[in-house]
Amino acid sequence: MSVSTAAADQTVCAPLPVLGRDVTVPLVTGGEVTYAALDYAASAPALQRVWDDVAAYAPYYGSVHRGAGYLSQLSTDLFENARRTVAEFLDCRGDDQVVFTRSTTDSLNLLAATLPADCQVFVFETEHHASLLPWKDARVTYLDAPRTPHQVVTALERALADRDPYGPALVCVTGASNVTGELWPVRELAAAAHAHGARIVLDAAQLAPHHPVSVRDLDVDWVAFSGHKLYAPFGSGVLAGRADWLREAEPYLAGGGASRKVTRRTDGGVDVEWHESAARHEAGSPNVIGAYSIASACKALTEAGFDTLVARERYLIAKVREGLAEVPEVRVLSLFGDDAPRVGVISFVVEGWNSSHFAAALSAEYGIGVRDGLFCAHPLVRTLLGSDPQTQGECGAPEAAPGEKSLNAIRVSFGAGTPDEHVERFVRAVKELVRDGAKWNYRTEEGRCVPAV
């Protein structure tokens, strides 16, 4: 889709106000510039609405589930209302549980701790490490990187057909890649999993900030996502879905809040009766501000309207992709091809450039924040680059000569708070760096490429 076509389709929509939108940063070449935050896939800036809601609540902060005082009761109501808001945002089923965690990683590790005995887990090698690594106590089948959405479904169906048909099984899959931004066929994967007696958990860390996620419509068993990618600060996350495995497992953490009743035995030990609600896996004092910030972000995105937000993001995606396509030295990474639907996450390499050097120059000379490396998805990035694990070279020298394979990549990502000017500056900076080279000298310091003083 061309930018002109995208502009014609674009619903009139200004960027949502976010914290830091007016922050200026110094340039090594002199002067200052408004910072262009284009690393949303790692941590999106907090919505101003979220920050204002939290600031309004902060004076009323109190203990949760533990106090008879007014502020404690207020905080408890706010915490439990946040749970209901998240359930509505995800269109959960009536008997689903919403557990507040620290992050997507924490959510998936929690689910991994609840797996029934002898559970088999199916996961594609293309997953983020948060989805790839938590299943150490299960029998894991790692599936090769697919090259089309159809291959995704057929590969899973083939693997499920060969499994023990009577044992428990779980499929873990991303909704949108944190490397390529490409959307995965979640609904079709859920249907395949259920047809073979397996359950499915959706890693929605990169999907939920960009597209509506309906547990009912996608027919997934669980959804996990992080607040810090959903424009909410304070290190919080969510695991939402079916209650039975959560209810039957030992608590993720043992302690106050998870226990309903504790009694001493005559032999000197203790007997514990655990909660069967979400509290079973929320031991300790909960992060009420984190939960509230997620709920506030859910409300803000819902009120802004995902149709409008998606239309504007497609316009920005087209703007970036068309700009990069004008630079022959740039290769955009993709599994499913140029026409695959995607969110605002684009990874690429530049011929003859060390990726860390290029990202450092974008920051130091243009005030643009992007990501470089393997993005906590090492197998996927190495598959896309066609490279073996190696040590990154010095940032002052090209990472790969023309025709050679790159070792790392650069990722630009954006979303509901991104102004047009930020992506326009990014495209202009890429073109200038490729054409003219960096204006400054750089060196490697503790594994990072930084401007030489």
Side-chain angles (χ1 to χ4, degrees):
M1 178 171 62
S2 67
V3 171
S4 58
T5 303
D9 293 342
Q10 181 191 11
T11 303
V12 176
C13 171
L16 298 186
V18 295
L19 291 182
R21 58 189 178 277
D22 298 322
V23 167
T24 59
V25 294
L27 302 180
V28 293
T29 51
E32 293 187 343
V33 67
T34 302
Y35 184 65
L38 296 179
D39 193 16
Y40 276 47
S43 286
L47 289 172
Q48 185 67 54
R49 153 79 176 272
V50 173
W51 191 259
D52 291 344
D53 283 350
V54 169
Y57 160 67
Y60 300 93
Y61 173 83
S63 61
V64 178
H65 297 150
R66 288 166 174 78
Y70 179 82
L71 297 191
S72 293
Q73 294 180 43
L74 180 68
S75 294
T76 297
D77 287 345
L78 183 138
F79 184 69
E80 294 303 331
N81 283 333
R83 201 188 304 277
R84 286 186 282 272
T85 297
V86 171
E88 293 172 1
F89 179 75
L90 295 174
D91 191 26
C92 288
R93 298 164 291 252
D95 56 352
D96 284 341
Q97 287 187 356
V98 174
V99 182
F100 285 115
T101 67
R102 294 179 298 171
S103 60
T104 306
T105 301
D106 196 34
S107 296
L108 293 173
N109 275 271
L110 163 57
L111 184 62
T114 72
L115 296 181
D118 203 34
C119 186
Q120 187 170 4
V121 176
F122 297 85
V123 58
F124 286 91
E125 68 170 1
T126 47
E127 293 289 317
H128 186 281
H129 294 171
S131 303
L132 196 69
L133 302 180
W135 320 107
K136 58 184 181 299
D137 295 328
R139 292 182 296 132
V140 186
T141 298
Y142 295 105
L143 304 177
D144 293 339
R147 286 299 182 170
T148 68
H150 177 70
Q151 284 183 11
V152 175
V153 179
T154 55
L156 179 63
E157 288 178 331
R158 191 179 305 115
L160 288 170
D162 293 337
R163 80 175 187 91
D164 176 1
Y166 301 106
L170 177 70
V171 176
C172 181
V173 67
T174 187
S177 171
N178 77 304
V179 176
T180 68
E182 292 163 318
L183 299 179
W184 279 55
V186 177
R187 188 180 293 103
E188 293 81 357
L189 291 170
H194 293 154
H196 289 84
R199 294 191 177 189
I200 184 169
V201 57
L202 169 63
D203 175 352
Q206 300 296 339
L207 182 63
H210 303 274
H211 286 263
V213 175
S214 169
V215 169
R216 296 175 196 262
D217 181 52
L218 295 174
D219 196 23
V220 293
D221 297 283
W222 292 278
V223 170
F225 70 87
S226 295
H228 69 273
K229 300 185 193 299
L230 196 78
Y231 312 102
F234 305 112
S236 53
V238 166
L239 176 67
R242 301 200 181 278
D244 53 351
W245 286 9
L246 299 174
R247 190 168 51 237
E248 293 161 9
E250 289 294 306
Y252 186 45
L253 296 173
S259 55
R260 175 185 292 164
K261 182 180 179 182
V262 180
T263 56
R264 286 290 302 273
R265 296 195 306 263
T266 56
D267 63 2
V270 294
D271 288 322
V272 184
E273 182 181 329
W274 303 105
H275 281 294
E276 294 189 353
S277 64
R280 185 183 188 90
H281 299 290
E282 294 176 342
S285 295
N287 180 3
V288 59
I289 287 182
Y292 183 44
S293 68
I294 286 182
S296 175
C298 290
K299 289 180 180 178
L301 294 175
T302 300
E303 291 168 6
F306 271 106
D307 288 346
T308 300
L309 296 175
V310 169
R312 185 170 191 281
E313 185 171 302
R314 285 174 178 162
Y315 164 71
L316 295 178
I317 291 170
K319 209 175 187 70
V320 172
R321 287 179 61 83
E322 289 184 10
L324 294 179
E326 294 173 358
V327 185
E329 293 85 353
V330 169
R331 177 168 72 91
V332 173
L333 306 182
S334 175
L335 274 175
F336 302 153
D338 290 342
D339 295 332
R342 66 193 69 231
V343 299
V345 179
I346 299 168
S347 296
F348 63 98
V349 292
V350 183
E351 183 178 329
W353 276 83
N354 175 294
S355 294
S356 180
H357 185 195
F358 200 89
L362 286 173
S363 174
E365 300 178 26
Y366 296 91
I368 299 170
V370 297
R371 198 81 158 186
D372 67 276
L374 300 175
F375 318 128
C376 293
H378 296 184
L380 170 57
V381 178
R382 287 177 180 137
T383 294
L384 295 172
L385 295 178
S387 63
D388 297 322
Q390 298 180 54
T391 302
Q392 176 80 331
E394 290 295 305
C395 72
E399 174 192 72
E404 294 183 352
K405 296 175 181 178
S406 298
L407 306 180
N408 288 344
I410 307 155
R411 184 181 69 190
V412 56
S413 53
F414 41 87
T418 304
D420 289 21
E421 189 276 331
H422 287 186
V423 299
E424 291 165 357
R425 193 196 318 171
F426 166 75
V427 170
R428 184 173 66 254
V430 170
K431 293 179 178 179
E432 290 181 2
L433 283 172
V434 172
R435 183 188 67 230
D436 303 329
K439 301 180 181 68
W440 205 259
N441 293 323
Y442 295 83
R443 60 187 174 84
T444 299
E445 182 177 289
E446 297 182 354
R448 295 294 306 165
C449 189
V450 297
V453 178

